[in-house]
Amino acid sequence: MDNGGCSQLCLYRAEPRGPVCHCATGYELTTDGVTCVVPEAFLLYLRHNNIRRISLEASLNDAAIPLSGVSNARGLDFDSTDGRIYWTDVDLKVLAGINFTYLAIFSFT
């Protein structure tokens, strides 16, 4: 099976008729319309109960990073060496972090 030529998700569209490629969360569709990649240039920002990423490459798409348990995030930092995001949550009174590659959450209480 060739998955409609898509590297990740192939969805069928009725109008205009035919397959359309999409990417899983955290990935971005390249200009070829079939290949999904993790963008190398992006902006991270907070919206109290979620952390979001805007790609600075092709599509400038705005996507929430799929996290649960973020209540009132305030401070944000990204360590590009080990691919981790750190934030403080004033409601939960924790400094938390996530491995951006594997989406594994950890906290310091």
Side-chain angles (χ1 to χ4, degrees):
M1 178 182 260
D2 71 356
N3 198 31
C6 302
S7 69
Q8 287 189 358
L9 306 171
C10 181
L11 306 175
Y12 186 78
R13 182 173 54 194
E15 292 297 326
R17 192 176 186 125
V20 177
C21 298
H22 286 276
C23 302
T25 302
Y27 290 82
E28 181 175 285
L29 195 62
T30 61
T31 55
D32 68 5
V34 296
T35 307
C36 296
V37 297
V38 175
E40 291 183 24
F42 53 87
L43 171 70
L44 292 171
Y45 70 98
L46 298 170
R47 293 191 70 184
H48 296 289
N49 63 350
N50 62 37
I51 298 172
R52 303 184 72 80
R53 181 188 75 192
I54 296 177
S55 170
L56 299 178
E57 293 179 0
S59 66
L60 296 173
N61 62 346
D62 178 10
I65 297 171
L67 301 172
S68 61
V70 178
S71 177
N72 193 358
R74 293 295 174 103
L76 178 70
D77 194 15
F78 178 69
D79 183 347
S80 61
T81 304
D82 63 5
R84 292 183 180 189
I85 300 170
Y86 298 94
W87 69 93
T88 56
D89 193 308
V90 296
D91 286 349
L92 302 175
K93 295 180 175 58
V94 296
L95 168 61
I98 184 169
N99 183 311
F100 196 53
T101 307
Y102 305 106
L103 297 179
I105 298 175
F106 51 90
S107 65
F108 309 94
T109 53

